Amino acid sequence: MVSDRFGRSIRDIRVSLTHRCNLRCIYCHGEGECNPGGELEASEIERIVAMVADEGVSRVKLTGGEPLLRRDILEVVERISSVPGIEEVSMTTNATLLQDVAGDLKEAGLKRVNVSLDTLVPERYREITGFDMLDSVLRGVDEAVRVGLNPVKANMVLLREVNDDEIWDLVRFTRERKAILQVIELVDLGDDSVFQRFHADVEPLESELQGCMEKVAVRSMHKRKKYFLPDGSEVEIVKPVHNSDFCSNCTRIRLTSDGKLKPCLMRNDNLVDIAEPLRNGADSKTLRELFLKAVNLREPYYRTGKE
Ligand code: SAM
C-alpha cells in the first residue's frame, strides 16, 4: 500500500463520474471540481481504478454531479467491481433516479449507497435543491433498502435555520428503515456567503448524542464518530471544518470527472492529469508514476502544527 509524506496510506478513491446534476443544491461543493472539461469513458475509469487497486486502494466511492445521470452507470459499476483488489464499490446519489435502477446497481456489484437527504419537508426540499422531487428520493431510499444495498446512509448536510430542527425526524426515518443517518458539517468551498449564512456547529448534536448513546465507534477514516443509540438508531458525524484529526486520518484520493487525480477536496492547484496520458497510450508504469506524484502532493488541509 502506498503512503503519502504524512504517513497516510491511500485506501480509497472517490471517483466523480460527471459534473452534470439534475438538482441545484444551494450549498453544493460539486466535489471541489472547477469547470471540468468532458467525462471519462467507462473503460478509462476501469483502467485507472485497476492501476490504483494494484497500489493497494480497495474501496471506490462513485460521486458527481449526479452519478445516475450517466447512461452507462451499470457498465461503470460492473467494470469497477470486477477489478481485482476492489473490495467495495459504493455511491453517493441524490436518489431522484434511484428507484428504477437500485436492483440493477446491486446486481452490477454496488455494495452500499449514500443518499442526500437534508429534509423530509417537501417545501424545504424545494428551497434547498430547486426541485419538487422529494417523493422520488424517498421511493429511491426504500427501494435501495429493499434490494439489499447495505448500509443505506442518508447524508444530511446541517444547515442553520433550514433543517437543524429536523435531525431527530431524520434519526427516526433512518432507524425505521434500518438505515444510518450521517450528519455532515457544511464545508466552505468558494461561496463564503453560503457558509456564513448556513454553517451550523455540529458540537451541540454531538453532546446530545454523547448523553443518550449506548456506544460510540470511531471509524479509521477521518476519525469519524458513529453513535449507537439504545433504540437501534445509528448516527454518524462528519466534521471536516478546521478539524486536523479529520485531515490526518484521510486515506482518500480523488479522480475528477474529466480525469485528474485530485489530492484534496479543498484544493485545485495540485491536480495531476491522468486522462490525457491515458488517451495518448501511456503504459501502466507511467500511470503508476502519475498516481505516486498525486499521492506525493497530498497535504493535510487543516494541520495539527506537528506535521
Ligand atoms: N449528487 C450526488 C449526491 O447528492 O450525493 C453526489 C454529489 S454530492 C456533491 C456528494 C455529497 O456531498 C452529498 O452528500 C452532499 O450533501 C455533500 N455536499 C455537497 N456540498 C457540500 C458542502 N458544501 N458541505 C458538505 N457536504 C456537501
Side-chain angles (χ1 to χ4, degrees), residues 94-106:
N94 62 35
T96 53
L97 303 169
L98 185 59
Q99 185 186 14
D100 290 343
V101 79
D104 294 338
L105 285 168
K106 163 104 169 120

Side-chain angles (χ1 to χ4, degrees), residues 1-13 55-59 220-222 247-253 291 295 298:
M1 188 168 310
V2 176
S3 294
D4 66 16
R5 292 177 293 128
F6 299 85
R8 303 175 297 177
S9 34
I10 313 304
R11 301 168 198 273
D12 315 74
I13 187 163
E55 300 303 323
V57 169
S58 59
R59 294 185 296 240
S220 58
M221 170 69 130
H222 294 149
C247 292
S248 57
N249 292 284
C250 177
T251 56
R252 170 189 285 171
I253 193 132
F291 173 62
V295 169
R298 273 169 49 88

Side-chain angles (χ1 to χ4, degrees), residues 14 20-23 25 27-31 62-67 91-95 114-118 155-157 182 184-189 194 240:
R14 191 164 171 108
R20 293 174 287 131
C21 193
N22 54 346
L23 299 181
C25 299
Y27 58 79
C28 186
H29 57 35
E31 301 293 346
L62 302 175
T63 183
E66 175 45 44
M91 177 185 290
T92 172
T93 171
N94 62 35
N114 289 51
V115 169
S116 293
L117 185 61
D118 301 318
N155 281 5
M156 174 196 204
V157 177
Q182 183 160 255
I184 306 175
E185 183 182 19
L186 181 69
V187 171
D188 181 11
L189 247 188
V194 170

